[in-house]
Amino acid sequence: METIVFPFSSKFLWAKYLLVFALFISAKALIKLPINGTIPAVIVFGDSIVDAGNNNDLNTVIRCDFLPYGQDFAGGVPTGRFCNGKVPSDLIAEELGIKDIVPAYLDPTLKTQDLLTGVTFASGGTGYDPLTPKLASVISLGEQLNYFKEYIGKLKAIAGEEKTNFILAKSMFLVVAGSDDIANTYFVLRARKLQYDVPAYTDLMVNSAAEFVKELYGLGARKIGVFSTPPIGCVPSQRTLGGGIERECAEDYNVAAILFNKKLSSVLNSFKTSIPDGRFVYIDVYNPLLGLIQNPQKNGFEVVDNGCCGTGNIEVAILCNKLSPSTCTDVSKYIFWDSYHPTEKAYRALVTLILQNIIGDFF
């Protein structure tokens, strides 16, 4: 990586730079920030919803660095995003006026300047349960945290300690996980069913989530948003696997998601009083996505129970490839790209709605 030299030798000049940066970001942003509010970077952890290619060089089946993934991304290039185009972390950075995409930390083409405005450490297939990434052979949240520590060291080397502390304190941190724990580890693979009932398993998940958030705080993060789990029983693959012959939403999956979300929200609320200088934001994606599925026409969608790739019933990751049955001709009609992940259009509808509702909670 090339080195960026900051020509600021005084606190006054550094403060002046920050003011100019804040005004530049504010001018580009689609979401209006509070007066004097600034978000210099978006820094992301989690699973395939926000993975931008960290799995590309792993020996795992949970990868997507091949067509038709990325067919609607810039240049039609498959980057390792589990989508036809951009993923939520990209869209959030775009709406905040920070940059067009949030690159994968392990991307070999990552530029030094990208470190200043944020990266994603996320790995498709991971979860809060430490068993989940082991089953999928992907990067655990603990390993993502180690990469983040490495990132902090690189940031200090190019920007200095004071600027690094500012970036960490003011940036938006996002954590997106839990779906793979519930859908794969617990229900599909049944790897925890004999050991835990659903209340106990969601306790395990939320305790892990709480510890992860506290570790982020300990490393300097102060604005941390944690996504709820979605209505995972309503994604096409789980309809196929757990929704019966009619492929209805698998309600036991959704009951588990709702229980986890309630516990997660409660824990994050408790942090607001026990850790007063932090902003801990519960980001509800369950209800907005369920609303999209239940009322698709409102946002111009037609197909809610199949993905665009292949048959749309089961294809995801390596099963969604150039040899799959033909991909749909009009992806704009579909909420889901493959049998597990939404399309860029669906993500855009969700991100716009969610950001408007929660942006003030980060300040």
Side-chain angles (χ1 to χ4, degrees), residues 75-137:
V77 177
T79 60
R81 288 168 170 83
F82 290 78
C83 189
N84 63 304
K86 292 184 178 182
V87 293
S89 43
D90 301 319
L91 301 175
I92 289 170
E94 179 186 309
E95 294 236 355
L96 292 174
I98 296 172
K99 56 184 176 182
D100 288 336
I101 62 170
V102 178
Y105 179 67
L106 298 181
D107 183 347
T109 67
L110 185 72
K111 296 179 174 60
T112 299
Q113 57 263 35
D114 283 322
L115 298 177
L116 298 168
T117 49
V119 295
T120 176
F121 300 91
S123 175
T126 203
Y128 291 121
D129 180 351
L131 179 60
T132 299
K134 290 180 181 178
L135 293 171
S137 299

Short mmCIF file of all heavy atoms in Angstrom, two decimals, residues 75-137:
data_model
loop_
_atom_site.label_atom_id
_atom_site.label_comp_id
_atom_site.label_asym_id
_atom_site.label_seq_id
_atom_site.Cartn_x
_atom_site.Cartn_y
_atom_site.Cartn_z
N GLY A 75 -19.34 -2.76 -14.08
CA GLY A 75 -18.56 -3.57 -15.01
C GLY A 75 -19.01 -5.01 -15.10
O GLY A 75 -18.40 -5.81 -15.80
N GLY A 76 -20.09 -5.37 -14.39
CA GLY A 76 -20.57 -6.75 -14.40
C GLY A 76 -19.59 -7.73 -13.80
O GLY A 76 -19.51 -8.89 -14.23
N VAL A 77 -18.84 -7.28 -12.79
CA VAL A 77 -17.75 -8.07 -12.22
C VAL A 77 -18.20 -8.74 -10.92
O VAL A 77 -18.69 -8.08 -10.02
CB VAL A 77 -16.52 -7.18 -11.93
CG1 VAL A 77 -15.41 -7.99 -11.28
CG2 VAL A 77 -16.03 -6.55 -13.22
N PRO A 78 -18.02 -10.07 -10.81
CA PRO A 78 -18.29 -10.74 -9.53
C PRO A 78 -17.17 -10.45 -8.53
O PRO A 78 -16.01 -10.80 -8.78
CB PRO A 78 -18.34 -12.22 -9.91
CG PRO A 78 -17.50 -12.33 -11.14
CD PRO A 78 -17.62 -11.02 -11.86
N THR A 79 -17.50 -9.78 -7.45
CA THR A 79 -16.48 -9.33 -6.49
C THR A 79 -16.42 -10.20 -5.24
O THR A 79 -15.50 -10.05 -4.44
CB THR A 79 -16.78 -7.90 -6.04
OG1 THR A 79 -18.09 -7.88 -5.43
CG2 THR A 79 -16.74 -6.93 -7.21
N GLY A 80 -17.42 -11.08 -5.07
CA GLY A 80 -17.53 -11.81 -3.82
C GLY A 80 -18.67 -11.30 -2.97
O GLY A 80 -18.86 -11.75 -1.84
N ARG A 81 -19.47 -10.37 -3.53
CA ARG A 81 -20.69 -9.92 -2.86
C ARG A 81 -21.80 -10.90 -3.19
O ARG A 81 -22.00 -11.23 -4.34
CB ARG A 81 -21.07 -8.50 -3.32
CG ARG A 81 -20.15 -7.42 -2.78
CD ARG A 81 -20.39 -6.09 -3.48
NE ARG A 81 -19.68 -4.99 -2.81
CZ ARG A 81 -18.41 -4.70 -3.01
NH1 ARG A 81 -17.69 -5.42 -3.87
NH2 ARG A 81 -17.84 -3.68 -2.36
N PHE A 82 -22.56 -11.29 -2.17
CA PHE A 82 -23.63 -12.27 -2.37
C PHE A 82 -24.89 -11.55 -2.87
O PHE A 82 -25.90 -11.46 -2.19
CB PHE A 82 -23.91 -13.01 -1.06
CG PHE A 82 -22.80 -13.95 -0.65
CD1 PHE A 82 -21.65 -13.47 -0.05
CD2 PHE A 82 -22.91 -15.32 -0.86
CE1 PHE A 82 -20.62 -14.32 0.33
CE2 PHE A 82 -21.89 -16.19 -0.50
CZ PHE A 82 -20.74 -15.68 0.11
N CYS A 83 -24.80 -11.04 -4.08
CA CYS A 83 -25.86 -10.20 -4.62
C CYS A 83 -25.62 -10.02 -6.11
O CYS A 83 -24.54 -10.32 -6.61
CB CYS A 83 -25.85 -8.83 -3.92
SG CYS A 83 -27.26 -7.76 -4.28
N ASN A 84 -26.64 -9.50 -6.81
CA ASN A 84 -26.44 -9.13 -8.22
C ASN A 84 -25.69 -7.82 -8.35
O ASN A 84 -25.13 -7.51 -9.40
CB ASN A 84 -27.78 -9.03 -8.94
CG ASN A 84 -28.67 -7.94 -8.36
OD1 ASN A 84 -28.97 -7.94 -7.17
ND2 ASN A 84 -29.11 -7.01 -9.19
N GLY A 85 -25.66 -7.03 -7.27
CA GLY A 85 -25.00 -5.73 -7.31
C GLY A 85 -24.40 -5.38 -5.96
O GLY A 85 -23.64 -6.14 -5.38
N LYS A 86 -24.79 -4.20 -5.46
CA LYS A 86 -24.26 -3.74 -4.18
C LYS A 86 -24.99 -4.38 -3.01
O LYS A 86 -26.13 -4.82 -3.13
CB LYS A 86 -24.38 -2.21 -4.09
CG LYS A 86 -23.49 -1.45 -5.06
CD LYS A 86 -23.61 0.05 -4.85
CE LYS A 86 -22.68 0.83 -5.78
NZ LYS A 86 -22.76 2.30 -5.54
N VAL A 87 -24.29 -4.39 -1.86
CA VAL A 87 -24.85 -4.94 -0.62
C VAL A 87 -25.08 -3.78 0.36
O VAL A 87 -24.66 -2.65 0.11
CB VAL A 87 -23.91 -6.01 -0.02
CG1 VAL A 87 -23.87 -7.23 -0.93
CG2 VAL A 87 -22.52 -5.47 0.23
N PRO A 88 -25.77 -4.01 1.48
CA PRO A 88 -26.17 -2.91 2.37
C PRO A 88 -25.04 -1.99 2.82
O PRO A 88 -25.24 -0.76 2.90
CB PRO A 88 -26.81 -3.64 3.55
CG PRO A 88 -27.40 -4.86 2.95
CD PRO A 88 -26.40 -5.29 1.90
N SER A 89 -23.88 -2.54 3.13
CA SER A 89 -22.77 -1.68 3.58
C SER A 89 -22.38 -0.68 2.49
O SER A 89 -22.08 0.50 2.79
CB SER A 89 -21.57 -2.53 3.99
OG SER A 89 -21.36 -3.59 3.07
N ASP A 90 -22.39 -1.10 1.23
CA ASP A 90 -22.11 -0.20 0.12
C ASP A 90 -23.15 0.91 0.06
O ASP A 90 -22.82 2.10 -0.08
CB ASP A 90 -22.14 -0.93 -1.22
CG ASP A 90 -21.13 -2.06 -1.32
OD1 ASP A 90 -20.00 -1.89 -0.85
OD2 ASP A 90 -21.49 -3.12 -1.88
N LEU A 91 -24.40 0.53 0.17
CA LEU A 91 -25.50 1.48 0.02
C LEU A 91 -25.55 2.47 1.18
O LEU A 91 -25.88 3.65 0.98
CB LEU A 91 -26.83 0.73 -0.10
CG LEU A 91 -26.91 -0.26 -1.28
CD1 LEU A 91 -28.21 -1.03 -1.24
CD2 LEU A 91 -26.75 0.47 -2.60
N ILE A 92 -25.21 2.01 2.37
CA ILE A 92 -25.17 2.91 3.53
C ILE A 92 -24.07 3.94 3.36
O ILE A 92 -24.28 5.14 3.56
CB ILE A 92 -24.99 2.10 4.83
CG1 ILE A 92 -26.28 1.32 5.13
CG2 ILE A 92 -24.64 3.01 6.01
CD1 ILE A 92 -26.14 0.29 6.24
N ALA A 93 -22.87 3.50 2.95
CA ALA A 93 -21.78 4.44 2.70
C ALA A 93 -22.14 5.42 1.59
O ALA A 93 -21.81 6.62 1.66
CB ALA A 93 -20.51 3.68 2.34
N GLU A 94 -22.83 4.93 0.58
CA GLU A 94 -23.27 5.78 -0.53
C GLU A 94 -24.26 6.83 -0.04
O GLU A 94 -24.13 8.02 -0.36
CB GLU A 94 -23.90 4.89 -1.60
CG GLU A 94 -24.43 5.62 -2.81
CD GLU A 94 -25.17 4.69 -3.76
OE1 GLU A 94 -24.60 3.64 -4.13
OE2 GLU A 94 -26.32 5.00 -4.11
N GLU A 95 -25.25 6.41 0.73
CA GLU A 95 -26.28 7.34 1.21
C GLU A 95 -25.72 8.36 2.19
O GLU A 95 -26.22 9.48 2.28
CB GLU A 95 -27.44 6.56 1.85
CG GLU A 95 -28.22 5.71 0.89
CD GLU A 95 -29.71 6.02 0.88
OE1 GLU A 95 -30.16 6.84 1.71
OE2 GLU A 95 -30.42 5.45 0.04
N LEU A 96 -24.68 7.98 2.91
CA LEU A 96 -24.04 8.91 3.83
C LEU A 96 -23.06 9.84 3.12
O LEU A 96 -22.50 10.75 3.73
CB LEU A 96 -23.31 8.15 4.94
CG LEU A 96 -24.20 7.40 5.93
CD1 LEU A 96 -23.34 6.55 6.88
CD2 LEU A 96 -25.08 8.36 6.72
N GLY A 97 -22.82 9.60 1.83
CA GLY A 97 -21.93 10.44 1.06
C GLY A 97 -20.46 10.18 1.30
O GLY A 97 -19.61 11.02 1.01
N ILE A 98 -20.14 9.00 1.82
CA ILE A 98 -18.75 8.68 2.15
C ILE A 98 -18.00 8.14 0.94
O ILE A 98 -16.92 8.63 0.58
CB ILE A 98 -18.69 7.69 3.33
CG1 ILE A 98 -19.28 8.34 4.58
CG2 ILE A 98 -17.25 7.23 3.58
CD1 ILE A 98 -19.45 7.39 5.75
N LYS A 99 -18.55 7.11 0.30
CA LYS A 99 -17.96 6.55 -0.92
C LYS A 99 -18.97 5.59 -1.53
O LYS A 99 -20.00 5.28 -0.93
CB LYS A 99 -16.63 5.86 -0.62
CG LYS A 99 -16.67 4.76 0.43
CD LYS A 99 -15.24 4.27 0.66
CE LYS A 99 -15.14 3.24 1.78
NZ LYS A 99 -13.74 2.82 2.01
N ASP A 100 -18.67 5.14 -2.75
CA ASP A 100 -19.64 4.32 -3.48
C ASP A 100 -19.74 2.89 -2.98
O ASP A 100 -20.80 2.27 -3.04
CB ASP A 100 -19.29 4.31 -4.97
CG ASP A 100 -19.58 5.64 -5.64
OD1 ASP A 100 -20.44 6.39 -5.12
OD2 ASP A 100 -18.95 5.95 -6.66
N ILE A 101 -18.61 2.32 -2.54
CA ILE A 101 -18.62 0.95 -2.05
C ILE A 101 -17.71 0.83 -0.83
O ILE A 101 -16.78 1.61 -0.66
CB ILE A 101 -18.17 -0.07 -3.13
CG1 ILE A 101 -16.73 0.22 -3.58
CG2 ILE A 101 -19.13 -0.09 -4.31
CD1 ILE A 101 -16.13 -0.88 -4.45
N VAL A 102 -18.00 -0.16 0.01
CA VAL A 102 -17.14 -0.48 1.14
C VAL A 102 -16.39 -1.76 0.77
O VAL A 102 -16.99 -2.84 0.70
CB VAL A 102 -17.95 -0.68 2.43
CG1 VAL A 102 -17.04 -1.08 3.60
CG2 VAL A 102 -18.72 0.59 2.78
N PRO A 103 -15.10 -1.68 0.52
CA PRO A 103 -14.35 -2.84 0.03
C PRO A 103 -14.05 -3.86 1.13
O PRO A 103 -14.07 -3.54 2.33
CB PRO A 103 -13.05 -2.22 -0.49
CG PRO A 103 -12.87 -1.00 0.34
CD PRO A 103 -14.24 -0.47 0.61
N ALA A 104 -13.78 -5.07 0.71
CA ALA A 104 -13.36 -6.12 1.64
C ALA A 104 -11.96 -5.82 2.15
O ALA A 104 -11.07 -5.44 1.38
CB ALA A 104 -13.38 -7.47 0.93
N TYR A 105 -11.75 -6.02 3.44
CA TYR A 105 -10.43 -5.78 4.03
C TYR A 105 -9.37 -6.67 3.39
O TYR A 105 -8.22 -6.27 3.24
CB TYR A 105 -10.48 -6.01 5.53
CG TYR A 105 -9.15 -5.81 6.22
CD1 TYR A 105 -8.56 -4.55 6.29
CD2 TYR A 105 -8.46 -6.88 6.79
CE1 TYR A 105 -7.33 -4.35 6.91
CE2 TYR A 105 -7.24 -6.70 7.42
CZ TYR A 105 -6.67 -5.44 7.48
OH TYR A 105 -5.46 -5.26 8.08
N LEU A 106 -9.75 -7.90 3.02
CA LEU A 106 -8.79 -8.85 2.45
C LEU A 106 -8.67 -8.76 0.94
O LEU A 106 -7.98 -9.58 0.32
CB LEU A 106 -9.19 -10.28 2.86
CG LEU A 106 -9.19 -10.58 4.36
CD1 LEU A 106 -9.57 -12.02 4.61
CD2 LEU A 106 -7.82 -10.26 4.98
N ASP A 107 -9.31 -7.77 0.33
CA ASP A 107 -9.18 -7.55 -1.11
C ASP A 107 -7.73 -7.20 -1.44
O ASP A 107 -7.19 -6.22 -0.92
CB ASP A 107 -10.10 -6.41 -1.53
CG ASP A 107 -10.10 -6.14 -3.03
OD1 ASP A 107 -9.21 -6.67 -3.74
OD2 ASP A 107 -10.97 -5.40 -3.49
N PRO A 108 -7.06 -7.99 -2.28
CA PRO A 108 -5.65 -7.71 -2.60
C PRO A 108 -5.45 -6.39 -3.32
O PRO A 108 -4.33 -5.88 -3.35
CB PRO A 108 -5.25 -8.90 -3.48
CG PRO A 108 -6.52 -9.46 -4.00
CD PRO A 108 -7.56 -9.21 -2.95
N THR A 109 -6.51 -5.81 -3.89
CA THR A 109 -6.38 -4.53 -4.59
C THR A 109 -6.78 -3.35 -3.69
O THR A 109 -6.89 -2.22 -4.18
CB THR A 109 -7.24 -4.51 -5.86
OG1 THR A 109 -8.64 -4.55 -5.50
CG2 THR A 109 -6.92 -5.69 -6.76
N LEU A 110 -7.00 -3.61 -2.41
CA LEU A 110 -7.41 -2.55 -1.49
C LEU A 110 -6.39 -1.41 -1.49
O LEU A 110 -5.18 -1.64 -1.40
CB LEU A 110 -7.53 -3.12 -0.07
CG LEU A 110 -8.05 -2.17 1.01
CD1 LEU A 110 -9.53 -1.90 0.81
CD2 LEU A 110 -7.80 -2.76 2.40
N LYS A 111 -6.89 -0.18 -1.59
CA LYS A 111 -6.02 0.99 -1.61
C LYS A 111 -5.89 1.57 -0.20
O LYS A 111 -6.81 1.48 0.61
CB LYS A 111 -6.57 2.05 -2.56
CG LYS A 111 -6.61 1.61 -4.02
CD LYS A 111 -7.19 2.69 -4.90
CE LYS A 111 -7.10 2.32 -6.38
NZ LYS A 111 -7.84 1.09 -6.69
N THR A 112 -4.76 2.20 0.05
CA THR A 112 -4.50 2.77 1.36
C THR A 112 -5.59 3.75 1.78
O THR A 112 -6.06 3.74 2.92
CB THR A 112 -3.13 3.49 1.37
OG1 THR A 112 -2.12 2.55 1.07
CG2 THR A 112 -2.86 4.12 2.73
N GLN A 113 -6.04 4.58 0.86
CA GLN A 113 -7.03 5.59 1.22
C GLN A 113 -8.36 4.98 1.64
O GLN A 113 -9.14 5.62 2.34
CB GLN A 113 -7.23 6.60 0.08
CG GLN A 113 -7.66 6.01 -1.25
CD GLN A 113 -6.48 5.80 -2.19
OE1 GLN A 113 -5.38 5.47 -1.73
NE2 GLN A 113 -6.70 6.01 -3.48
N ASP A 114 -8.62 3.74 1.20
CA ASP A 114 -9.86 3.08 1.61
C ASP A 114 -9.90 2.81 3.10
O ASP A 114 -10.98 2.73 3.69
CB ASP A 114 -10.05 1.76 0.84
CG ASP A 114 -10.52 1.98 -0.59
OD1 ASP A 114 -11.35 2.89 -0.79
OD2 ASP A 114 -10.06 1.27 -1.48
N LEU A 115 -8.73 2.66 3.72
CA LEU A 115 -8.70 2.42 5.15
C LEU A 115 -9.28 3.61 5.92
O LEU A 115 -9.89 3.45 6.98
CB LEU A 115 -7.27 2.16 5.62
CG LEU A 115 -6.57 0.93 5.02
CD1 LEU A 115 -5.14 0.85 5.54
CD2 LEU A 115 -7.31 -0.35 5.35
N LEU A 116 -9.11 4.80 5.38
CA LEU A 116 -9.57 6.01 6.06
C LEU A 116 -11.08 6.15 6.07
O LEU A 116 -11.64 6.80 6.96
CB LEU A 116 -8.95 7.24 5.39
CG LEU A 116 -7.43 7.33 5.41
CD1 LEU A 116 -6.95 8.42 4.47
CD2 LEU A 116 -6.93 7.58 6.82
N THR A 117 -11.75 5.55 5.10
CA THR A 117 -13.19 5.71 4.99
C THR A 117 -13.97 4.41 5.22
O THR A 117 -15.19 4.39 5.07
CB THR A 117 -13.55 6.28 3.60
OG1 THR A 117 -12.88 5.51 2.59
CG2 THR A 117 -13.13 7.73 3.49
N GLY A 118 -13.25 3.35 5.59
CA GLY A 118 -13.93 2.14 6.03
C GLY A 118 -13.81 0.95 5.11
O GLY A 118 -13.67 1.07 3.89
N VAL A 119 -13.85 -0.22 5.72
CA VAL A 119 -13.79 -1.50 5.03
C VAL A 119 -14.77 -2.46 5.70
O VAL A 119 -15.29 -2.18 6.79
CB VAL A 119 -12.37 -2.11 5.07
CG1 VAL A 119 -11.38 -1.25 4.31
CG2 VAL A 119 -11.90 -2.30 6.52
N THR A 120 -14.99 -3.58 5.07
CA THR A 120 -15.79 -4.64 5.70
C THR A 120 -14.90 -5.85 5.99
O THR A 120 -14.10 -6.26 5.15
CB THR A 120 -16.99 -5.05 4.84
OG1 THR A 120 -17.67 -6.16 5.49
CG2 THR A 120 -16.61 -5.45 3.43
N PHE A 121 -15.06 -6.38 7.18
CA PHE A 121 -14.34 -7.58 7.61
C PHE A 121 -15.25 -8.81 7.52
O PHE A 121 -14.84 -9.91 7.88
CB PHE A 121 -13.86 -7.41 9.06
CG PHE A 121 -12.94 -6.24 9.26
CD1 PHE A 121 -13.44 -4.99 9.61
CD2 PHE A 121 -11.57 -6.38 9.09
CE1 PHE A 121 -12.58 -3.92 9.79
CE2 PHE A 121 -10.71 -5.31 9.27
CZ PHE A 121 -11.22 -4.07 9.62
N ALA A 122 -16.47 -8.61 7.05
CA ALA A 122 -17.50 -9.65 7.09
C ALA A 122 -17.14 -10.86 6.24
O ALA A 122 -16.46 -10.75 5.22
CB ALA A 122 -18.83 -9.07 6.63
N SER A 123 -17.64 -12.00 6.68
CA SER A 123 -17.37 -13.28 6.00
C SER A 123 -18.67 -14.07 5.90
O SER A 123 -19.29 -14.42 6.91
CB SER A 123 -16.34 -14.07 6.81
OG SER A 123 -16.13 -15.36 6.27
N GLY A 124 -19.11 -14.32 4.66
CA GLY A 124 -20.34 -15.06 4.44
C GLY A 124 -20.33 -16.40 5.15
O GLY A 124 -19.36 -17.15 5.06
N GLY A 125 -21.40 -16.72 5.86
CA GLY A 125 -21.54 -18.00 6.55
C GLY A 125 -21.17 -17.97 8.01
O GLY A 125 -21.32 -18.97 8.71
N THR A 126 -20.69 -16.82 8.51
CA THR A 126 -20.29 -16.76 9.92
C THR A 126 -21.49 -16.44 10.80
O THR A 126 -22.60 -16.20 10.32
CB THR A 126 -19.17 -15.73 10.13
OG1 THR A 126 -18.45 -16.05 11.31
CG2 THR A 126 -19.70 -14.31 10.24
N GLY A 127 -21.26 -16.43 12.12
CA GLY A 127 -22.35 -16.15 13.04
C GLY A 127 -21.85 -15.85 14.43
O GLY A 127 -20.65 -15.85 14.69
N TYR A 128 -22.79 -15.60 15.33
CA TYR A 128 -22.45 -15.35 16.74
C TYR A 128 -22.02 -16.63 17.45
O TYR A 128 -21.16 -16.62 18.31
CB TYR A 128 -23.64 -14.73 17.47
CG TYR A 128 -23.97 -13.33 17.02
CD1 TYR A 128 -25.22 -13.01 16.49
CD2 TYR A 128 -23.03 -12.31 17.12
CE1 TYR A 128 -25.53 -11.73 16.09
CE2 TYR A 128 -23.32 -11.01 16.71
CZ TYR A 128 -24.58 -10.73 16.20
OH TYR A 128 -24.87 -9.45 15.80
N ASP A 129 -22.65 -17.74 17.08
CA ASP A 129 -22.27 -19.04 17.64
C ASP A 129 -20.89 -19.41 17.07
O ASP A 129 -20.72 -19.48 15.86
CB ASP A 129 -23.31 -20.08 17.22
CG ASP A 129 -23.02 -21.48 17.75
OD1 ASP A 129 -21.92 -21.71 18.30
OD2 ASP A 129 -23.90 -22.35 17.61
N PRO A 130 -19.90 -19.65 17.92
CA PRO A 130 -18.56 -19.98 17.40
C PRO A 130 -18.52 -21.25 16.56
O PRO A 130 -17.58 -21.45 15.78
CB PRO A 130 -17.70 -20.12 18.66
CG PRO A 130 -18.67 -20.31 19.78
CD PRO A 130 -19.91 -19.59 19.39
N LEU A 131 -19.55 -22.09 16.69
CA LEU A 131 -19.59 -23.30 15.87
C LEU A 131 -19.95 -22.99 14.42
O LEU A 131 -19.52 -23.69 13.50
CB LEU A 131 -20.61 -24.29 16.46
CG LEU A 131 -20.81 -25.61 15.71
CD1 LEU A 131 -19.50 -26.40 15.63
CD2 LEU A 131 -21.91 -26.45 16.39
N THR A 132 -20.73 -21.94 14.21
CA THR A 132 -21.23 -21.62 12.87
C THR A 132 -20.11 -21.42 11.84
O THR A 132 -20.13 -22.04 10.77
CB THR A 132 -22.17 -20.41 12.93
OG1 THR A 132 -23.28 -20.73 13.78
CG2 THR A 132 -22.69 -20.02 11.55
N PRO A 133 -19.11 -20.57 12.10
CA PRO A 133 -18.04 -20.41 11.10
C PRO A 133 -17.19 -21.66 10.93
O PRO A 133 -16.63 -21.88 9.85
CB PRO A 133 -17.21 -19.24 11.65
CG PRO A 133 -17.51 -19.19 13.10
CD PRO A 133 -18.94 -19.64 13.23
N LYS A 134 -17.09 -22.49 11.98
CA LYS A 134 -16.33 -23.74 11.85
C LYS A 134 -17.03 -24.68 10.88
O LYS A 134 -16.39 -25.33 10.05
CB LYS A 134 -16.18 -24.40 13.22
CG LYS A 134 -15.25 -23.67 14.17
CD LYS A 134 -15.15 -24.39 15.51
CE LYS A 134 -14.25 -23.63 16.48
NZ LYS A 134 -14.19 -24.30 17.81
N LEU A 135 -18.35 -24.77 10.97
CA LEU A 135 -19.11 -25.64 10.07
C LEU A 135 -18.99 -25.19 8.62
O LEU A 135 -19.02 -26.01 7.71
CB LEU A 135 -20.58 -25.67 10.50
CG LEU A 135 -20.89 -26.32 11.85
CD1 LEU A 135 -22.34 -26.08 12.24
CD2 LEU A 135 -20.59 -27.82 11.81
N ALA A 136 -18.86 -23.88 8.41
CA ALA A 136 -18.82 -23.33 7.05
C ALA A 136 -17.40 -23.08 6.56
O ALA A 136 -17.21 -22.71 5.39
CB ALA A 136 -19.61 -22.02 7.01
N SER A 137 -16.41 -23.25 7.42
CA SER A 137 -15.00 -22.97 7.07
C SER A 137 -14.81 -21.53 6.61
O SER A 137 -14.23 -21.26 5.55
CB SER A 137 -14.51 -23.94 5.99
OG SER A 137 -14.56 -25.27 6.45
#
